[in-house]
Amino acid sequence: MILKKYLIILLAILPYCVIAQHSNAVQLGKYNNAFETDHAQKTVLETSYQNWFFLRNNPAFRHYFTKHKNNTYDFKDIEDKNIVSVNSLGVKTKGDYLFYQGDQAQKNAVFASGTMDFEKEGTLYGSGGYSLEDKKNTLLNYVVNPEYYYPYLVSDTLSKSDQKYEVYNVQGGYSFEHKEMYYGIGLSYQGIAMSKLTDPRLSVYDSWFKVDLGVARSFNNHLISFKINYLINRQNISASSTLFRAPSVLQFNGLGMWKNTEVKATQGYERMLDIKGYGFDIAYKKLRENSKALGYTLALAYQNKIMNTEDNSQLGFESNSKLNLFELSSHVFTPLVWVEKDFSGFNMSFLFSGVNQVKKGKEYIYKSEKISNTQNLYNYVKVASNAFYHQYSFENTFSLKMTVPFRSTQSYHFLAGVTHSLYKEEYLYSNRVIKNDIIRPFMELGYMGIYKKNTIEFSFLYKYNKALKNLYSTGNLLNNISINQSYIPYLIRSESGYELQTQVFYGYNISMGQSIGISARLAYLHRNNYDDTLGNYSKMAPRSQTMLDFKLFYIF
């Protein structure tokens, strides 16, 4: 009888021990780039707390979490601690690679995040980061973060070159309570300076600014949160010339199509990319009173962006004026469904998440009109717009995780899931289409344990990539431009193969609430099967990619 009571008590407290093992490691999932919308499969740790990260993006949630984390089963053993970390990330690719990423990339960064809680006045929070990045053998030498502006890119050459980036990220906000409602405001800034090592005449400066306004309300065992945001981006590209050499200008408008604009010596090229956007996040969370209750989160985020591209290429390059040549509107939907329940001896959690994006592009046509016969002055007038370009990108992941406690301070987990990706790019005029349909099943095994002052975690992930259906119908001849801009990205999306990933975490508790440690993640990707639709691409060698991500941290 005594043994039976002991087992019941032990099973009741084990889930808390499992969560406590994540308490320090979950801090490493924080990052302060508020402008990323691209989806990548999360590690098992981030997957387990993806609903918490979603809520945390609402500034109003910060003070609610401070006041109520000890009152609900869901947040009882999660802490939003202060952290300082140093990170080194290296990626090396053999075989084909995306033209703007290069075949080698190195990123070294420092990051700090902290909060200051006042029980009555509210919660202040902030974070900052700086990174120095290098990319080697890129084939696109203008435009920072080209995925935001694709397909309306510009390049000076298709020859290989190296690029250097300096990235600054700053975030901060304030959250408070008023009459049982929680409010918050957050501000985010990112600045990027890019230079081309082989040609110092090229300079690109990119800046983002975002403001978030949030509200949250809890009643009984329910939590509702809502956030709206507004963002601005501006990127300035400037390429000066010399007496003997002028910059080249290759303008792209999708599916491997391009236009070459000559620039004379002593002239310069300027382009300004401008993005304005707004969005909202809404979330509902069913709070659990105890381990027997069912907890779940339903959430949806939406982001709208409108990009305009202005340059002086049609004005003879001597003019300080610019014409808006392209417009790109995008709509991004990010759903999240999370369900968790503790059973006798194990925990089960289900997650559905994704990023679904629709883009539509316009090309503006101008004609010159003479406005003064005496002074021989001309003006450019917009006469038409062609809404030819469409892009659809849908990526959604289903995963199921089972955590089994072992003794009082150890646990094992098993994660299984599948990601489905559908990509379609079309240019309506002349009916050009590119399409990829991919499925990626994955599974992961892991272990976590606490040994006195030491916390250890490791996991092993296997993912398989299978192309279901591919289509490449553009009518373009495979020259160097169409291969690099369009066909190689298509082949990479169509490839089949596997990915192996292992992650190790070690933390040492130096005193109450303080710990130091390391985290390392090693991934290897191998692809050996492409869908060479055109049948005449000669570089069809196996493609592989190796990634090493290493962090040192101090949590307090």
Side-chain angles (χ1 to χ4, degrees), residues 373-391:
N373 291 324
T374 57
Q375 298 182 1
N376 199 31
L377 296 178
Y378 290 83
N379 187 27
Y380 281 81
V381 180
K382 186 188 299 181
V383 295
S385 64
N386 297 326
F388 289 152
Y389 180 81
H390 290 173
Q391 183 193 114

PDB file of all heavy atoms in Angstrom, residues 373-391:
ATOM      1  N   ASN A 373       9.619  72.786 -74.948  1.00  0.00           N
ATOM      2  CA  ASN A 373      10.364  72.819 -76.216  1.00  0.00           C
ATOM      3  C   ASN A 373      11.563  73.738 -76.138  1.00  0.00           C
ATOM      4  O   ASN A 373      12.598  73.491 -76.749  1.00  0.00           O
ATOM      5  CB  ASN A 373       9.431  73.269 -77.338  1.00  0.00           C
ATOM      6  CG  ASN A 373       8.373  72.224 -77.652  1.00  0.00           C
ATOM      7  OD1 ASN A 373       8.644  71.023 -77.601  1.00  0.00           O
ATOM      8  ND2 ASN A 373       7.154  72.687 -77.981  1.00  0.00           N
ATOM      9  N   THR A 374      11.447  74.801 -75.361  1.00  0.00           N
ATOM     10  CA  THR A 374      12.544  75.769 -75.296  1.00  0.00           C
ATOM     11  C   THR A 374      13.739  75.229 -74.521  1.00  0.00           C
ATOM     12  O   THR A 374      14.892  75.434 -74.874  1.00  0.00           O
ATOM     13  CB  THR A 374      12.069  77.078 -74.646  1.00  0.00           C
ATOM     14  OG1 THR A 374      11.553  76.773 -73.340  1.00  0.00           O
ATOM     15  CG2 THR A 374      10.951  77.712 -75.489  1.00  0.00           C
ATOM     16  N   GLN A 375      13.439  74.482 -73.406  1.00  0.00           N
ATOM     17  CA  GLN A 375      14.520  73.958 -72.586  1.00  0.00           C
ATOM     18  C   GLN A 375      14.812  72.487 -72.848  1.00  0.00           C
ATOM     19  O   GLN A 375      15.675  71.894 -72.203  1.00  0.00           O
ATOM     20  CB  GLN A 375      14.172  74.145 -71.107  1.00  0.00           C
ATOM     21  CG  GLN A 375      14.019  75.599 -70.700  1.00  0.00           C
ATOM     22  CD  GLN A 375      13.727  75.746 -69.227  1.00  0.00           C
ATOM     23  OE1 GLN A 375      13.654  74.777 -68.498  1.00  0.00           O
ATOM     24  NE2 GLN A 375      13.573  76.997 -68.777  1.00  0.00           N
ATOM     25  N   ASN A 376      14.063  71.899 -73.796  1.00  0.00           N
ATOM     26  CA  ASN A 376      14.279  70.489 -74.159  1.00  0.00           C
ATOM     27  C   ASN A 376      14.172  69.569 -72.942  1.00  0.00           C
ATOM     28  O   ASN A 376      15.022  68.719 -72.683  1.00  0.00           O
ATOM     29  CB  ASN A 376      15.635  70.311 -74.838  1.00  0.00           C
ATOM     30  CG  ASN A 376      15.702  69.004 -75.625  1.00  0.00           C
ATOM     31  OD1 ASN A 376      14.684  68.520 -76.140  1.00  0.00           O
ATOM     32  ND2 ASN A 376      16.894  68.446 -75.722  1.00  0.00           N
ATOM     33  N   LEU A 377      13.077  69.738 -72.148  1.00  0.00           N
ATOM     34  CA  LEU A 377      12.869  68.949 -70.942  1.00  0.00           C
ATOM     35  C   LEU A 377      11.842  67.852 -71.201  1.00  0.00           C
ATOM     36  O   LEU A 377      10.852  68.061 -71.915  1.00  0.00           O
ATOM     37  CB  LEU A 377      12.376  69.850 -69.806  1.00  0.00           C
ATOM     38  CG  LEU A 377      13.346  70.935 -69.319  1.00  0.00           C
ATOM     39  CD1 LEU A 377      12.692  71.778 -68.237  1.00  0.00           C
ATOM     40  CD2 LEU A 377      14.635  70.308 -68.810  1.00  0.00           C
ATOM     41  N   TYR A 378      12.083  66.686 -70.580  1.00  0.00           N
ATOM     42  CA  TYR A 378      11.186  65.543 -70.733  1.00  0.00           C
ATOM     43  C   TYR A 378      10.733  65.053 -69.365  1.00  0.00           C
ATOM     44  O   TYR A 378      11.429  65.227 -68.351  1.00  0.00           O
ATOM     45  CB  TYR A 378      11.892  64.392 -71.471  1.00  0.00           C
ATOM     46  CG  TYR A 378      12.144  64.682 -72.941  1.00  0.00           C
ATOM     47  CD1 TYR A 378      13.256  65.415 -73.344  1.00  0.00           C
ATOM     48  CD2 TYR A 378      11.265  64.204 -73.906  1.00  0.00           C
ATOM     49  CE1 TYR A 378      13.482  65.677 -74.682  1.00  0.00           C
ATOM     50  CE2 TYR A 378      11.492  64.455 -75.261  1.00  0.00           C
ATOM     51  CZ  TYR A 378      12.599  65.195 -75.635  1.00  0.00           C
ATOM     52  OH  TYR A 378      12.827  65.455 -76.983  1.00  0.00           O
ATOM     53  N   ASN A 379       9.573  64.433 -69.345  1.00  0.00           N
ATOM     54  CA  ASN A 379       9.053  63.840 -68.132  1.00  0.00           C
ATOM     55  C   ASN A 379       8.570  62.426 -68.449  1.00  0.00           C
ATOM     56  O   ASN A 379       8.062  62.166 -69.542  1.00  0.00           O
ATOM     57  CB  ASN A 379       7.892  64.666 -67.580  1.00  0.00           C
ATOM     58  CG  ASN A 379       7.438  64.169 -66.219  1.00  0.00           C
ATOM     59  OD1 ASN A 379       8.224  63.581 -65.481  1.00  0.00           O
ATOM     60  ND2 ASN A 379       6.175  64.403 -65.893  1.00  0.00           N
ATOM     61  N   TYR A 380       8.726  61.526 -67.489  1.00  0.00           N
ATOM     62  CA  TYR A 380       8.285  60.145 -67.676  1.00  0.00           C
ATOM     63  C   TYR A 380       6.911  59.967 -67.043  1.00  0.00           C
ATOM     64  O   TYR A 380       6.707  60.308 -65.874  1.00  0.00           O
ATOM     65  CB  TYR A 380       9.283  59.171 -67.060  1.00  0.00           C
ATOM     66  CG  TYR A 380      10.504  58.947 -67.920  1.00  0.00           C
ATOM     67  CD1 TYR A 380      11.557  59.857 -67.922  1.00  0.00           C
ATOM     68  CD2 TYR A 380      10.585  57.834 -68.739  1.00  0.00           C
ATOM     69  CE1 TYR A 380      12.673  59.657 -68.714  1.00  0.00           C
ATOM     70  CE2 TYR A 380      11.693  57.617 -69.538  1.00  0.00           C
ATOM     71  CZ  TYR A 380      12.737  58.532 -69.520  1.00  0.00           C
ATOM     72  OH  TYR A 380      13.828  58.328 -70.321  1.00  0.00           O
ATOM     73  N   VAL A 381       5.982  59.427 -67.813  1.00  0.00           N
ATOM     74  CA  VAL A 381       4.605  59.258 -67.380  1.00  0.00           C
ATOM     75  C   VAL A 381       4.259  57.771 -67.372  1.00  0.00           C
ATOM     76  O   VAL A 381       4.535  57.058 -68.347  1.00  0.00           O
ATOM     77  CB  VAL A 381       3.626  60.019 -68.296  1.00  0.00           C
ATOM     78  CG1 VAL A 381       2.187  59.820 -67.829  1.00  0.00           C
ATOM     79  CG2 VAL A 381       3.985  61.495 -68.333  1.00  0.00           C
ATOM     80  N   LYS A 382       3.649  57.315 -66.272  1.00  0.00           N
ATOM     81  CA  LYS A 382       3.226  55.917 -66.183  1.00  0.00           C
ATOM     82  C   LYS A 382       1.998  55.711 -67.074  1.00  0.00           C
ATOM     83  O   LYS A 382       0.987  56.400 -66.918  1.00  0.00           O
ATOM     84  CB  LYS A 382       2.913  55.559 -64.746  1.00  0.00           C
ATOM     85  CG  LYS A 382       2.603  54.076 -64.511  1.00  0.00           C
ATOM     86  CD  LYS A 382       2.113  53.820 -63.090  1.00  0.00           C
ATOM     87  CE  LYS A 382       3.161  54.214 -62.069  1.00  0.00           C
ATOM     88  NZ  LYS A 382       2.707  53.938 -60.676  1.00  0.00           N
ATOM     89  N   VAL A 383       2.084  54.755 -67.975  1.00  0.00           N
ATOM     90  CA  VAL A 383       0.996  54.547 -68.927  1.00  0.00           C
ATOM     91  C   VAL A 383       0.329  53.185 -68.773  1.00  0.00           C
ATOM     92  O   VAL A 383      -0.790  52.987 -69.273  1.00  0.00           O
ATOM     93  CB  VAL A 383       1.509  54.708 -70.383  1.00  0.00           C
ATOM     94  CG1 VAL A 383       1.957  56.137 -70.636  1.00  0.00           C
ATOM     95  CG2 VAL A 383       2.649  53.724 -70.666  1.00  0.00           C
ATOM     96  N   ALA A 384       0.964  52.223 -68.105  1.00  0.00           N
ATOM     97  CA  ALA A 384       0.356  50.894 -67.968  1.00  0.00           C
ATOM     98  C   ALA A 384       1.043  50.118 -66.862  1.00  0.00           C
ATOM     99  O   ALA A 384       2.146  50.462 -66.417  1.00  0.00           O
ATOM    100  CB  ALA A 384       0.457  50.122 -69.282  1.00  0.00           C
ATOM    101  N   SER A 385       0.375  49.066 -66.403  1.00  0.00           N
ATOM    102  CA  SER A 385       0.962  48.139 -65.437  1.00  0.00           C
ATOM    103  C   SER A 385       0.560  46.731 -65.825  1.00  0.00           C
ATOM    104  O   SER A 385      -0.593  46.481 -66.206  1.00  0.00           O
ATOM    105  CB  SER A 385       0.506  48.458 -64.014  1.00  0.00           C
ATOM    106  OG  SER A 385      -0.888  48.272 -63.887  1.00  0.00           O
ATOM    107  N   ASN A 386       1.508  45.812 -65.744  1.00  0.00           N
ATOM    108  CA  ASN A 386       1.277  44.413 -66.088  1.00  0.00           C
ATOM    109  C   ASN A 386       1.388  43.561 -64.831  1.00  0.00           C
ATOM    110  O   ASN A 386       2.463  43.462 -64.235  1.00  0.00           O
ATOM    111  CB  ASN A 386       2.284  43.934 -67.126  1.00  0.00           C
ATOM    112  CG  ASN A 386       2.161  44.678 -68.438  1.00  0.00           C
ATOM    113  OD1 ASN A 386       1.063  45.060 -68.840  1.00  0.00           O
ATOM    114  ND2 ASN A 386       3.284  44.915 -69.111  1.00  0.00           N
ATOM    115  N   ALA A 387       0.273  42.968 -64.406  1.00  0.00           N
ATOM    116  CA  ALA A 387       0.265  42.100 -63.220  1.00  0.00           C
ATOM    117  C   ALA A 387       0.462  40.659 -63.669  1.00  0.00           C
ATOM    118  O   ALA A 387      -0.460  39.842 -63.649  1.00  0.00           O
ATOM    119  CB  ALA A 387      -1.039  42.267 -62.453  1.00  0.00           C
ATOM    120  N   PHE A 388       1.697  40.348 -64.075  1.00  0.00           N
ATOM    121  CA  PHE A 388       1.979  39.053 -64.695  1.00  0.00           C
ATOM    122  C   PHE A 388       2.486  38.003 -63.708  1.00  0.00           C
ATOM    123  O   PHE A 388       2.273  36.812 -63.904  1.00  0.00           O
ATOM    124  CB  PHE A 388       3.015  39.215 -65.821  1.00  0.00           C
ATOM    125  CG  PHE A 388       2.485  39.918 -67.030  1.00  0.00           C
ATOM    126  CD1 PHE A 388       3.338  40.644 -67.854  1.00  0.00           C
ATOM    127  CD2 PHE A 388       1.145  39.861 -67.356  1.00  0.00           C
ATOM    128  CE1 PHE A 388       2.851  41.284 -68.974  1.00  0.00           C
ATOM    129  CE2 PHE A 388       0.653  40.500 -68.477  1.00  0.00           C
ATOM    130  CZ  PHE A 388       1.500  41.221 -69.287  1.00  0.00           C
ATOM    131  N   TYR A 389       3.179  38.429 -62.642  1.00  0.00           N
ATOM    132  CA  TYR A 389       3.902  37.474 -61.793  1.00  0.00           C
ATOM    133  C   TYR A 389       3.065  37.049 -60.598  1.00  0.00           C
ATOM    134  O   TYR A 389       2.516  37.878 -59.867  1.00  0.00           O
ATOM    135  CB  TYR A 389       5.221  38.087 -61.307  1.00  0.00           C
ATOM    136  CG  TYR A 389       6.020  37.154 -60.433  1.00  0.00           C
ATOM    137  CD1 TYR A 389       6.808  36.154 -60.989  1.00  0.00           C
ATOM    138  CD2 TYR A 389       5.964  37.252 -59.047  1.00  0.00           C
ATOM    139  CE1 TYR A 389       7.535  35.285 -60.188  1.00  0.00           C
ATOM    140  CE2 TYR A 389       6.687  36.389 -58.238  1.00  0.00           C
ATOM    141  CZ  TYR A 389       7.470  35.408 -58.820  1.00  0.00           C
ATOM    142  OH  TYR A 389       8.175  34.550 -58.017  1.00  0.00           O
ATOM    143  N   HIS A 390       3.004  35.720 -60.356  1.00  0.00           N
ATOM    144  CA  HIS A 390       2.353  35.160 -59.169  1.00  0.00           C
ATOM    145  C   HIS A 390       3.277  34.108 -58.545  1.00  0.00           C
ATOM    146  O   HIS A 390       3.938  33.348 -59.265  1.00  0.00           O
ATOM    147  CB  HIS A 390       1.020  34.490 -59.522  1.00  0.00           C
ATOM    148  CG  HIS A 390      -0.054  35.444 -59.923  1.00  0.00           C
ATOM    149  ND1 HIS A 390      -1.266  35.040 -60.414  1.00  0.00           N
ATOM    150  CD2 HIS A 390      -0.092  36.810 -59.904  1.00  0.00           C
ATOM    151  CE1 HIS A 390      -2.008  36.101 -60.683  1.00  0.00           C
ATOM    152  NE2 HIS A 390      -1.314  37.178 -60.387  1.00  0.00           N
ATOM    153  N   GLN A 391       3.298  34.069 -57.214  1.00  0.00           N
ATOM    154  CA  GLN A 391       4.058  33.040 -56.506  1.00  0.00           C
ATOM    155  C   GLN A 391       3.243  32.536 -55.310  1.00  0.00           C
ATOM    156  O   GLN A 391       2.679  33.327 -54.559  1.00  0.00           O
ATOM    157  CB  GLN A 391       5.401  33.582 -56.003  1.00  0.00           C
ATOM    158  CG  GLN A 391       6.266  32.531 -55.309  1.00  0.00           C
ATOM    159  CD  GLN A 391       7.440  33.149 -54.560  1.00  0.00           C
ATOM    160  OE1 GLN A 391       7.520  33.089 -53.345  1.00  0.00           O
ATOM    161  NE2 GLN A 391       8.359  33.761 -55.290  1.00  0.00           N
TER     162      GLN A 391
END
